[in-house]
Amino acid sequence: MRIRGALHVHSTLSQDGTMTIPELVRWYRRNGYQFLALGEHAEDLDETKVRALSQQSVENSTREFCVIPGIEFACRSDIHILGIGAVNLVREKDPLTVIQAIHEERGLAVLTHPRRIGWECPREVLLALDAAEIWNVAYDGKYLPSTQALTRFRRMQQINDKLLAVASHDFHRTASFYDVAIEMDVPLLSPSAVLRNLRRGFYEIRSRFFRADPQVRFSRGKALCLRLLSSQLGKLRTARSLLLWWSL
């Protein structure tokens, strides 16, 4: 079966989330999704909330929709790592320790919003990571990823050729939603099946205007088209920001 999912979703277990896990499930189902991967802020969690994260993920998973628990860890040097499938708190700020703990749970370690750190990440951290967000809707905007993100991602792959690309919602509220999904084929819908495909790179990033595999391989023509469109979109975003500033 073909399924669509959203990565890096925050519920009210995170301080800045606005919807409970059951509310998120209903909302995403209405929007044509079959799974979501949560990413609650580690600094907002305690052991009680972690138990709620695990329990509610199970309680809100069915044959038609599954919820994968996860924690977003804020590490030193402003590096943020999402552990998809991780349900153990790590208070250590060393990114390598965090990644190791995620892997011990058979989770996926994802570098989140790398634009925030200028796409600069220590070599040893890059080698330990499983994936990086080439498109974080909350930070990078809607419609298309930036060509700079794709260029920087390929530089990261020169260090870690097994690094996978993902697109994430970094969802906090419905107003910031944009329909970019992780699509994959699974025999039966389950968190383990989704995680297995994510780890193996058996998925596709897909939105209305963008489509890519986990290695972000494009023909020369498509790469040129994306560069032109992304450039024009950047100008529109700049113009919008100026108009908003002018109206204040």
Side-chain angles (χ1 to χ4, degrees):
M1 62 185 295
R2 187 72 170 178
I3 60 172
R4 305 174 73 243
L7 307 185
H8 195 165
V9 177
H10 294 276
S11 77
T12 49
L13 291 174
S14 293
Q15 188 176 13
D16 52 2
T18 58
M19 300 171 74
T20 65
I21 292 176
E23 288 170 339
L24 285 168
V25 170
R26 289 192 293 271
W27 194 85
Y28 271 100
R29 287 193 68 173
R30 286 198 302 269
N31 282 276
Y33 285 70
Q34 288 77 42
F35 75 89
L36 61 85
L38 297 167
E40 310 295 0
H41 297 298
E43 60 269 26
D44 295 335
L45 300 176
D46 55 22
E47 294 303 329
T48 299
K49 283 189 173 183
V50 169
R51 285 194 296 272
L53 171 62
S54 297
Q55 183 177 351
Q56 291 182 37
S57 296
V58 172
E59 290 174 348
N60 287 279
S61 293
T62 65
R63 292 181 179 179
E64 291 79 33
F65 195 98
C66 75
V67 181
I68 303 169
I71 300 175
E72 183 182 12
F73 299 93
C75 302
R76 62 172 178 243
S77 301
D78 207 22
I79 294 171
H80 284 221
I81 298 170
L82 170 62
I84 300 178
V87 290
N88 289 326
L89 281 178
V90 182
R91 296 305 185 187
E92 173 63 54
K93 295 296 183 181
D94 173 45
L96 289 175
T97 302
V98 168
I99 293 170
Q100 181 180 354
I102 293 169
H103 287 164
E104 287 173 356
E105 295 189 70
R106 296 288 294 160
L108 194 80
V110 181
L111 178 66
T112 63
H113 35 67
R115 175 185 174 186
R116 179 169 166 167
I117 54 174
W119 284 86
E120 297 295 333
C121 188
R123 179 184 179 86
E124 62 273 15
V125 175
L126 279 178
L127 288 169
L129 285 165
D130 301 305
E133 292 179 342
I134 60 163
W135 186 4
N136 177 304
V137 173
Y139 275 82
D140 304 319
K142 301 177 181 180
Y143 310 115
L144 287 172
S146 70
T147 52
Q148 181 191 38
L150 302 182
T151 300
R152 293 298 187 94
F153 174 73
R154 290 193 182 96
R155 290 180 186 174
M156 286 183 169
Q157 282 186 311
Q158 292 174 4
I159 296 172
N160 179 357
D161 61 3
K162 295 180 181 178
L163 191 69
L164 302 172
V166 297
S168 298
H169 289 190
D170 202 353
F171 182 95
H172 296 84
R173 55 192 57 82
T174 57
S176 62
F177 170 78
Y178 181 68
D179 189 16
V180 54
I182 300 295
E183 296 191 3
M184 62 178 69
D185 293 302
V186 294
L188 291 173
L189 180 59
S190 69
S192 60
V194 172
L195 273 169
R196 184 164 53 249
N197 276 13
L198 287 173
R199 282 193 295 265
R200 295 175 177 177
F202 293 171
Y203 61 86
E204 183 179 53
I205 301 168
R206 193 160 188 173
S207 71
R208 183 178 180 184
F209 305 113
F210 182 79
R211 182 176 179 177
D213 64 23
Q215 301 297 327
V216 199
R217 291 172 289 213
F218 293 120
S219 67
R220 184 174 298 179
K222 285 188 176 181
L224 177 60
C225 183
L226 178 62
R227 189 177 300 114
L228 291 171
L229 289 171
S230 183
S231 174
Q232 294 301 313
L233 185 58
K235 291 176 182 178
L236 287 172
R237 286 171 177 156
T238 300
R240 179 179 179 273
S241 297
L242 289 172
L243 286 170
L244 289 171
W245 173 80
W246 181 263
S247 66
L248 292 176

